[in-house]
Amino acid sequence: MAKKIRIVLTLQLPAGKATPAPPVGTALGPHGINIVEFTKSYNEKTADKAGQVIPAQITIFEDRSFTFILKTPPAADLLRKAAGVDKGAAQTGRAPAGRVTREQVREIAQVKLADLNANDIEAAMRQVEGTARSMGIEVTG
Amino acid sequence: MTADLEAVEAVSEILSRFAAGGTSVEPGFELREEGLAAAVDPSRPATVRAYVPARDPVAAEAAARQAEVALGHLQAFGLRPIGELRTRLVHEADWAEAWKAHFPVLRVGRRLVIRPTWRRRRPRPGEVVLALDPGMAFGTGLHPTTRLCLAALERLADEDRLDGARVLDVGCGSGILAIAAGLLGAGELVGLDTDPIAIEATAANAGRNGLAGRLDVALGSLPSGRGPFGVVLANLIASLLVRLAPLLRAELGPGGRLLASGIVRDREAEVRAAFEAAGLRLVGRETLEDWVVLAAEPAG
């Protein structure tokens, strides 16, 4: 089929628990795609990853049909897991919420390399490290 | 807010602290390969959006201020510039239903009517109503390439060329074309697609139109191994039609008719040349907006 693309966007959603409420409804509604089919399909594909945030990159075609692929969890989720914390610091700049090593940052950057639009591992690490610091997670070593 | 791609992960994390449902990220992107592929453009900022309930305006305002403070620290962490946080009120809607407004009952040609499954429509005399559930498979009836093909099918039916004919739909998507052919009088129907989602959608839509027993749908491409066919439908794209021309020709029986769509005007000459080289003779051509449908028959 002549699947001409209208737009590409990513939704960061709780695995297995997407609903038509925002951000799904507000992001996809204006493009007029079958939102119920999206949430049903997304929840089926991510049911085994409950508790994680799994981004879906959605491609919407000119006739309002669509497709989507799942991406790697956000760097923030991987950092929380690596640091063993539930949440980032309540306020940026206060006492560190947790710590990760540079090696862990490198591992996360490696996992996320394809999704981060980074040219190389160093650039990907810089993004992960910046995210860590904004979450109040200290990078050591 | 807008953010350099490098800062998107961090911005999204900060906003998601205040929006339990998650965030949306719209990157700048450019289209490639006749609009079939898209690549993210890292030189353009992305827009990150998050939604906070506004039922409690004071709490919503506080969330926005806290997010602003956290975002303000980002540049200190070595991430490239981000834009300003902008807020606006979005009215609650019935998101599970609102999208349906984009799919009206659609009349194509003189007789064909595409009816989304949730809408009612009493057929008028002579009308052929096709029930369709628009979803993940291409072919909702909204795109000019689909409409051109449907109109061409209707003309074939008017010329009595569709009656009882065996029909092959290459790249069947939602199944809309094969189903229309079946409703307009064709005989045995075969649908092919390389996407498993299309196979499921075609089978489901065939059932909705009472054609489950007549439309045989399979994962794959040409050759079908099921020929010859009286009518071959190929709503693809120019480059694919050029490549598949000899295989499309091979599926046609004597006096068979090929309807090839998904051709942008700029690429029409290329497709016509490939068809000619493959032993196909052009017998018809229609256009809608930027798109062309070509009708061809085996030459000689």
Side-chain angles (χ1 to χ4, degrees):
Chain A
M1 277 282 173
K3 299 199 283 192
K4 289 272 271 184
I5 293 170
R6 177 202 290 264
I7 191 169
V8 180
L9 55 90
T10 302
L11 293 173
Q12 306 217 340
L13 304 171
K17 288 187 181 149
T19 72
V24 175
T26 35
L28 303 184
H31 302 294
I33 72 163
N34 188 333
I35 283 176
V36 179
E37 181 160 335
F38 168 74
T39 53
K40 190 167 141 267
S41 185
Y42 172 85
N43 289 337
E44 270 169 26
K45 287 187 187 178
T46 56
D48 58 339
K49 299 189 177 75
Q52 295 183 57
V53 172
I54 301 292
Q57 184 183 303
I58 305 158
T59 303
I60 301 175
F61 302 108
E62 282 186 345
D63 77 339
R64 302 186 195 282
S65 60
F66 66 99
T67 186
F68 71 93
I69 51 171
L70 300 178
K71 296 291 203 174
T72 50
D77 267 33
L78 301 174
L79 283 162
R80 277 188 207 103
K81 201 179 276 181
V85 296
D86 286 342
K87 291 214 180 299
Q91 280 173 298
T92 310
R94 299 290 168 87
R99 288 186 175 82
V100 291
T101 63
R102 255 191 96 63
E103 195 46 42
Q104 283 175 309
V105 168
R106 179 181 293 275
E107 279 165 25
I108 292 169
Q110 199 75 52
V111 171
K112 302 259 333 156
L113 194 55
D115 292 348
L116 282 180
N117 300 295
N119 292 327
D120 53 52
I121 186 76
E122 294 301 323
M125 282 176 72
R126 205 169 58 240
Q127 292 186 43
V128 174
E129 198 171 330
T131 306
R133 293 177 67 186
S134 90
M135 294 166 69
I137 292 178
E138 207 172 29
V139 181
T140 58
Chain B
M1 68 180 301
T2 57
D4 187 281
L5 277 182
E6 198 183 83
V8 160
E9 286 273 340
V11 168
S12 183
E13 189 276 324
I14 289 169
L15 295 183
S16 68
R17 292 179 202 169
F18 309 97
T23 61
S24 81
V25 180
E26 286 178 36
F29 65 92
E30 54 181 2
L31 294 178
R32 291 180 181 168
E33 297 167 41
E34 296 179 61
L36 290 190
V40 170
D41 178 355
S43 68
R44 284 160 59 197
T47 304
V48 185
R49 292 190 176 89
Y51 299 87
V52 182
R55 277 184 292 274
D56 180 349
V58 178
E61 187 58 41
R65 268 203 309 271
Q66 283 179 51
E68 224 161 16
V69 171
L71 290 163
H73 286 98
L74 270 189
Q75 270 171 306
F77 301 139
L79 295 171
R80 274 192 228 135
I82 54 175
E84 275 182 24
L85 182 70
R86 282 173 305 184
T87 56
R88 89 186 150 89
L89 198 62
V90 181
H91 289 285
E92 185 75 302
D94 185 354
W95 305 108
E97 294 293 319
W99 61 273
K100 293 181 175 175
H102 293 276
F103 292 99
V105 171
L106 206 68
R107 197 189 176 89
V108 183
R110 287 186 307 108
R111 287 194 286 154
L112 260 177
V113 175
I114 312 298
R115 175 180 70 83
T117 46
W118 63 86
R119 294 194 187 273
R120 285 167 180 231
R121 164 89 174 193
R122 192 177 298 161
R124 296 179 191 145
E127 269 185 359
V128 175
V129 180
L130 192 162
L132 194 84
D133 203 356
M136 291 182 64
F138 193 91
T140 61
L142 292 179
H143 203 266
T145 61
T146 312
R147 295 216 303 275
L148 276 170
C149 251
L150 290 170
L153 263 175
E154 195 182 270
R155 278 192 300 278
L156 279 188
D158 292 344
E159 295 162 14
D160 294 328
R161 297 178 65 107
L162 207 52
D163 270 350
R166 296 186 75 230
V167 175
L168 172 65
D169 185 356
V170 184
C172 54
S174 65
I176 188 170
L177 300 180
I179 292 165
L183 295 176
L184 287 167
E188 193 187 338
L189 308 163
V190 177
L192 289 180
D193 206 297
T194 53
D195 182 352
I197 285 169
I199 303 304
E200 261 178 54
T202 295
N205 283 323
R208 291 182 181 110
N209 291 281
L211 292 173
R214 253 165 73 201
L215 202 168
D216 190 4
V217 59
L219 192 65
S221 183
L222 298 177
S224 71
R226 308 279 297 275
F229 291 93
V231 175
V232 173
L233 307 166
N235 182 13
L236 304 169
I237 51 157
S239 57
L240 207 50
L241 289 168
V242 166
R243 199 160 81 225
L244 293 177
L247 292 171
L248 288 165
R249 162 71 183 85
E251 299 287 343
L252 288 171
R257 178 71 63 97
L258 168 67
L259 296 179
S261 188
I263 308 162
V264 275
R265 279 174 200 253
D266 295 351
R267 308 285 297 265
E268 182 187 354
E270 216 178 306
V271 176
R272 288 171 74 150
F275 280 7
E276 201 174 316
L280 288 160
R281 185 171 59 93
L282 194 74
V283 293
R285 173 187 182 274
E286 296 291 333
T287 60
L288 183 62
E289 295 169 26
D290 278 343
W291 301 90
V292 184
V293 62
L294 298 177
E297 287 182 359

